[in-house]
Amino acid sequence: MDGTRIMNDMRLVVEPLIPALRRYARAQVRDGAMADDLVQDCLERVISRWYQRKPDGNARAWIFTILHNLTLNRLRQTRRRGPHAELEDVDEAQIARPATQEEGVHFQQVLRALHSLPEEQRSVMLLVAVEDLSYADAARVLDIPVGTVMSRLHRARERLACLMDTGTTRVAQAVPLRRIK
């Protein structure tokens, strides 16, 4: 008998809200089918968690909060996954992607060559070329003179170019240093 009374109370509160819930969901997602799914998910959650609401609280606000949170979650999920489309309805040119294997291999080669550099050259290269620090900022970070940053960067670039041309990461084949008098 108590369960029947709770169900009747729930129905009296929830049923009149369904059109407003649908309006809110449709306005949020701009897709009728997704809005209906959200309202159904919301109603399932309300029914299964009716005992969790505050009896003296505002049931309408509680239900709209549930719908709002479900909507945000669904929108985030859609943003992560991308738009849904039936495979038969999509042009092959829209889903085709160029092969990226060569780029991946090249990227791995660059990383191996970068890691084969001496630490002081690698640090300068990463700070200036990757992190986009100025020579002066890199000098401050490494606590070395700006001229040293410039010479290390020059040697690192030459060595990387040589390593990438030869396709090997052995340091012995890198450009030798020359002495200038």
Side-chain angles (χ1 to χ4, degrees):
M1 184 111 181
D2 190 40
T4 305
R5 188 178 59 79
I6 292 173
M7 289 300 287
N8 284 335
D9 289 346
M10 185 183 345
R11 189 175 55 79
L12 291 173
V13 171
V14 174
E15 196 172 310
L17 292 178
I18 293 174
L21 293 169
R22 291 184 76 208
R23 259 192 322 272
Y24 180 74
R26 282 177 187 249
Q28 288 288 69
V29 298
R30 297 183 187 103
D31 178 353
M34 185 186 291
D36 289 342
D37 289 344
L38 283 167
V39 171
Q40 181 165 341
D41 292 346
C42 174
L43 294 174
E44 288 175 9
R45 191 160 292 186
V46 165
I47 291 168
S48 67
R49 294 183 169 95
W50 186 255
Y51 66 93
Q52 291 179 342
R53 71 173 178 81
K54 296 177 184 171
D56 57 343
N58 184 346
R60 179 184 172 100
W62 179 70
I63 294 170
F64 271 93
T65 300
I66 292 172
L67 179 60
H68 178 77
N69 291 335
L70 286 170
T71 303
L72 289 178
N73 290 341
R74 183 73 52 90
L75 290 174
R76 284 186 200 117
Q77 184 182 52
T78 301
R79 211 173 298 125
R80 271 193 323 266
R81 290 182 178 172
H84 177 74
E86 294 295 328
L87 192 56
E88 297 83 28
D89 299 339
V90 178
D91 182 29
E92 187 175 330
Q94 289 178 318
I95 58 174
R97 300 270 191 264
T100 59
Q101 292 88 346
E102 286 185 32
E103 291 174 9
V105 168
H106 182 70
F107 179 71
Q108 291 300 319
Q109 288 173 340
V110 170
L111 282 179
R112 278 194 299 276
L114 184 65
H115 286 294
S116 71
L117 293 175
E119 192 279 324
E120 62 273 354
Q121 290 178 8
R122 184 174 53 245
S123 297
V124 170
M125 178 67 88
L126 290 172
L127 289 173
V128 174
V130 177
E131 299 302 328
D132 204 27
L133 266 65
S134 67
Y135 291 176
D137 290 339
R140 274 194 288 285
V141 168
L142 298 172
D143 196 26
I144 58 175
V146 174
T148 304
V149 167
M150 293 167 58
S151 65
R152 285 181 185 176
L153 183 61
H154 177 72
R155 287 193 308 268
R157 286 178 175 158
E158 280 185 343
R159 187 171 269 183
L160 269 179
C162 181
L163 291 172
M164 295 307 296
D165 285 343
T166 62
T168 179
T169 57
R170 286 186 19 212
V171 177
Q173 292 189 2
V175 175
L177 296 177
R178 294 179 295 177
R179 177 171 278 196
I180 300 174
K181 292 187 181 188

PDB file of all heavy atoms in Angstrom, residues 76-90:
ATOM      1  N   ARG A  76      29.129  16.440 -23.975  1.00  0.00           N
ATOM      2  CA  ARG A  76      30.575  16.176 -23.876  1.00  0.00           C
ATOM      3  C   ARG A  76      30.933  14.883 -24.605  1.00  0.00           C
ATOM      4  O   ARG A  76      31.929  14.809 -25.321  1.00  0.00           O
ATOM      5  CB  ARG A  76      31.000  16.069 -22.415  1.00  0.00           C
ATOM      6  CG  ARG A  76      31.094  17.386 -21.723  1.00  0.00           C
ATOM      7  CD  ARG A  76      31.656  17.223 -20.308  1.00  0.00           C
ATOM      8  NE  ARG A  76      31.316  18.359 -19.513  1.00  0.00           N
ATOM      9  CZ  ARG A  76      30.552  18.344 -18.424  1.00  0.00           C
ATOM     10  NH1 ARG A  76      30.081  17.211 -17.965  1.00  0.00           N
ATOM     11  NH2 ARG A  76      30.290  19.445 -17.779  1.00  0.00           N
ATOM     12  N   GLN A  77      30.110  13.883 -24.420  1.00  0.00           N
ATOM     13  CA  GLN A  77      30.339  12.591 -25.066  1.00  0.00           C
ATOM     14  C   GLN A  77      30.267  12.737 -26.585  1.00  0.00           C
ATOM     15  O   GLN A  77      31.110  12.205 -27.308  1.00  0.00           O
ATOM     16  CB  GLN A  77      29.297  11.593 -24.572  1.00  0.00           C
ATOM     17  CG  GLN A  77      29.460  10.197 -25.075  1.00  0.00           C
ATOM     18  CD  GLN A  77      28.343   9.305 -24.557  1.00  0.00           C
ATOM     19  OE1 GLN A  77      27.164   9.638 -24.698  1.00  0.00           O
ATOM     20  NE2 GLN A  77      28.714   8.195 -23.960  1.00  0.00           N
ATOM     21  N   THR A  78      29.297  13.489 -27.070  1.00  0.00           N
ATOM     22  CA  THR A  78      29.153  13.702 -28.509  1.00  0.00           C
ATOM     23  C   THR A  78      30.333  14.475 -29.055  1.00  0.00           C
ATOM     24  O   THR A  78      30.835  14.180 -30.144  1.00  0.00           O
ATOM     25  CB  THR A  78      27.843  14.461 -28.803  1.00  0.00           C
ATOM     26  OG1 THR A  78      26.750  13.693 -28.299  1.00  0.00           O
ATOM     27  CG2 THR A  78      27.656  14.683 -30.285  1.00  0.00           C
ATOM     28  N   ARG A  79      30.808  15.465 -28.304  1.00  0.00           N
ATOM     29  CA  ARG A  79      31.965  16.246 -28.734  1.00  0.00           C
ATOM     30  C   ARG A  79      33.201  15.355 -28.837  1.00  0.00           C
ATOM     31  O   ARG A  79      33.989  15.485 -29.764  1.00  0.00           O
ATOM     32  CB  ARG A  79      32.214  17.389 -27.747  1.00  0.00           C
ATOM     33  CG  ARG A  79      32.819  18.604 -28.389  1.00  0.00           C
ATOM     34  CD  ARG A  79      32.901  19.795 -27.457  1.00  0.00           C
ATOM     35  NE  ARG A  79      31.609  20.237 -27.004  1.00  0.00           N
ATOM     36  CZ  ARG A  79      31.267  20.364 -25.720  1.00  0.00           C
ATOM     37  NH1 ARG A  79      32.124  20.115 -24.771  1.00  0.00           N
ATOM     38  NH2 ARG A  79      30.072  20.763 -25.380  1.00  0.00           N
ATOM     39  N   ARG A  80      33.368  14.442 -27.872  1.00  0.00           N
ATOM     40  CA  ARG A  80      34.510  13.532 -27.905  1.00  0.00           C
ATOM     41  C   ARG A  80      34.412  12.560 -29.069  1.00  0.00           C
ATOM     42  O   ARG A  80      35.390  12.274 -29.746  1.00  0.00           O
ATOM     43  CB  ARG A  80      34.584  12.723 -26.608  1.00  0.00           C
ATOM     44  CG  ARG A  80      35.367  13.348 -25.514  1.00  0.00           C
ATOM     45  CD  ARG A  80      35.654  12.368 -24.391  1.00  0.00           C
ATOM     46  NE  ARG A  80      34.608  11.433 -24.069  1.00  0.00           N
ATOM     47  CZ  ARG A  80      33.679  11.610 -23.129  1.00  0.00           C
ATOM     48  NH1 ARG A  80      33.666  12.700 -22.426  1.00  0.00           N
ATOM     49  NH2 ARG A  80      32.774  10.686 -22.896  1.00  0.00           N
ATOM     50  N   ARG A  81      33.244  12.011 -29.277  1.00  0.00           N
ATOM     51  CA  ARG A  81      33.056  10.980 -30.298  1.00  0.00           C
ATOM     52  C   ARG A  81      32.870  11.547 -31.690  1.00  0.00           C
ATOM     53  O   ARG A  81      33.076  10.859 -32.675  1.00  0.00           O
ATOM     54  CB  ARG A  81      31.826  10.131 -29.966  1.00  0.00           C
ATOM     55  CG  ARG A  81      32.010   9.266 -28.778  1.00  0.00           C
ATOM     56  CD  ARG A  81      30.776   8.442 -28.572  1.00  0.00           C
ATOM     57  NE  ARG A  81      30.950   7.546 -27.454  1.00  0.00           N
ATOM     58  CZ  ARG A  81      29.983   6.809 -26.951  1.00  0.00           C
ATOM     59  NH1 ARG A  81      28.786   6.876 -27.473  1.00  0.00           N
ATOM     60  NH2 ARG A  81      30.207   6.024 -25.929  1.00  0.00           N
ATOM     61  N   GLY A  82      32.391  12.763 -31.802  1.00  0.00           N
ATOM     62  CA  GLY A  82      32.061  13.343 -33.099  1.00  0.00           C
ATOM     63  C   GLY A  82      30.613  13.042 -33.430  1.00  0.00           C
ATOM     64  O   GLY A  82      29.943  12.250 -32.749  1.00  0.00           O
ATOM     65  N   PRO A  83      30.102  13.666 -34.463  1.00  0.00           N
ATOM     66  CA  PRO A  83      28.688  13.471 -34.806  1.00  0.00           C
ATOM     67  C   PRO A  83      28.404  12.048 -35.273  1.00  0.00           C
ATOM     68  O   PRO A  83      29.254  11.406 -35.890  1.00  0.00           O
ATOM     69  CB  PRO A  83      28.451  14.482 -35.922  1.00  0.00           C
ATOM     70  CG  PRO A  83      29.799  14.780 -36.479  1.00  0.00           C
ATOM     71  CD  PRO A  83      30.778  14.572 -35.361  1.00  0.00           C
ATOM     72  N   HIS A  84      27.211  11.570 -34.977  1.00  0.00           N
ATOM     73  CA  HIS A  84      26.800  10.225 -35.360  1.00  0.00           C
ATOM     74  C   HIS A  84      26.192  10.279 -36.754  1.00  0.00           C
ATOM     75  O   HIS A  84      25.399  11.158 -37.069  1.00  0.00           O
ATOM     76  CB  HIS A  84      25.766   9.682 -34.367  1.00  0.00           C
ATOM     77  CG  HIS A  84      25.252   8.334 -34.753  1.00  0.00           C
ATOM     78  ND1 HIS A  84      26.003   7.200 -34.613  1.00  0.00           N
ATOM     79  CD2 HIS A  84      24.081   7.954 -35.308  1.00  0.00           C
ATOM     80  CE1 HIS A  84      25.299   6.157 -35.050  1.00  0.00           C
ATOM     81  NE2 HIS A  84      24.140   6.597 -35.479  1.00  0.00           N
ATOM     82  N   ALA A  85      26.577   9.347 -37.583  1.00  0.00           N
ATOM     83  CA  ALA A  85      26.009   9.250 -38.921  1.00  0.00           C
ATOM     84  C   ALA A  85      25.931   7.780 -39.298  1.00  0.00           C
ATOM     85  O   ALA A  85      26.815   6.993 -38.956  1.00  0.00           O
ATOM     86  CB  ALA A  85      26.872  10.009 -39.921  1.00  0.00           C
ATOM     87  N   GLU A  86      24.878   7.436 -39.993  1.00  0.00           N
ATOM     88  CA  GLU A  86      24.738   6.074 -40.488  1.00  0.00           C
ATOM     89  C   GLU A  86      25.768   5.857 -41.589  1.00  0.00           C
ATOM     90  O   GLU A  86      25.978   6.725 -42.444  1.00  0.00           O
ATOM     91  CB  GLU A  86      23.329   5.832 -41.027  1.00  0.00           C
ATOM     92  CG  GLU A  86      22.257   5.893 -39.966  1.00  0.00           C
ATOM     93  CD  GLU A  86      22.389   4.784 -38.933  1.00  0.00           C
ATOM     94  OE1 GLU A  86      22.852   3.681 -39.291  1.00  0.00           O
ATOM     95  OE2 GLU A  86      22.040   5.032 -37.776  1.00  0.00           O
ATOM     96  N   LEU A  87      26.406   4.724 -41.587  1.00  0.00           N
ATOM     97  CA  LEU A  87      27.471   4.431 -42.534  1.00  0.00           C
ATOM     98  C   LEU A  87      26.974   4.504 -43.977  1.00  0.00           C
ATOM     99  O   LEU A  87      27.675   4.987 -44.863  1.00  0.00           O
ATOM    100  CB  LEU A  87      28.061   3.047 -42.239  1.00  0.00           C
ATOM    101  CG  LEU A  87      29.346   2.705 -42.941  1.00  0.00           C
ATOM    102  CD1 LEU A  87      30.415   3.741 -42.649  1.00  0.00           C
ATOM    103  CD2 LEU A  87      29.836   1.336 -42.518  1.00  0.00           C
ATOM    104  N   GLU A  88      25.749   4.063 -44.218  1.00  0.00           N
ATOM    105  CA  GLU A  88      25.204   4.071 -45.570  1.00  0.00           C
ATOM    106  C   GLU A  88      24.944   5.488 -46.068  1.00  0.00           C
ATOM    107  O   GLU A  88      24.936   5.744 -47.273  1.00  0.00           O
ATOM    108  CB  GLU A  88      23.887   3.272 -45.631  1.00  0.00           C
ATOM    109  CG  GLU A  88      24.034   1.803 -45.313  1.00  0.00           C
ATOM    110  CD  GLU A  88      24.045   1.532 -43.803  1.00  0.00           C
ATOM    111  OE1 GLU A  88      23.447   2.306 -43.041  1.00  0.00           O
ATOM    112  OE2 GLU A  88      24.683   0.548 -43.407  1.00  0.00           O
ATOM    113  N   ASP A  89      24.740   6.443 -45.160  1.00  0.00           N
ATOM    114  CA  ASP A  89      24.400   7.811 -45.537  1.00  0.00           C
ATOM    115  C   ASP A  89      25.621   8.707 -45.742  1.00  0.00           C
ATOM    116  O   ASP A  89      25.489   9.846 -46.174  1.00  0.00           O
ATOM    117  CB  ASP A  89      23.510   8.452 -44.468  1.00  0.00           C
ATOM    118  CG  ASP A  89      22.192   7.707 -44.299  1.00  0.00           C
ATOM    119  OD1 ASP A  89      21.796   6.984 -45.248  1.00  0.00           O
ATOM    120  OD2 ASP A  89      21.571   7.839 -43.229  1.00  0.00           O
ATOM    121  N   VAL A  90      26.800   8.209 -45.433  1.00  0.00           N
ATOM    122  CA  VAL A  90      27.999   9.034 -45.477  1.00  0.00           C
ATOM    123  C   VAL A  90      28.763   8.772 -46.764  1.00  0.00           C
ATOM    124  O   VAL A  90      28.968   7.622 -47.162  1.00  0.00           O
ATOM    125  CB  VAL A  90      28.903   8.742 -44.257  1.00  0.00           C
ATOM    126  CG1 VAL A  90      30.186   9.550 -44.320  1.00  0.00           C
ATOM    127  CG2 VAL A  90      28.165   9.044 -42.976  1.00  0.00           C
TER     128      VAL A  90
END
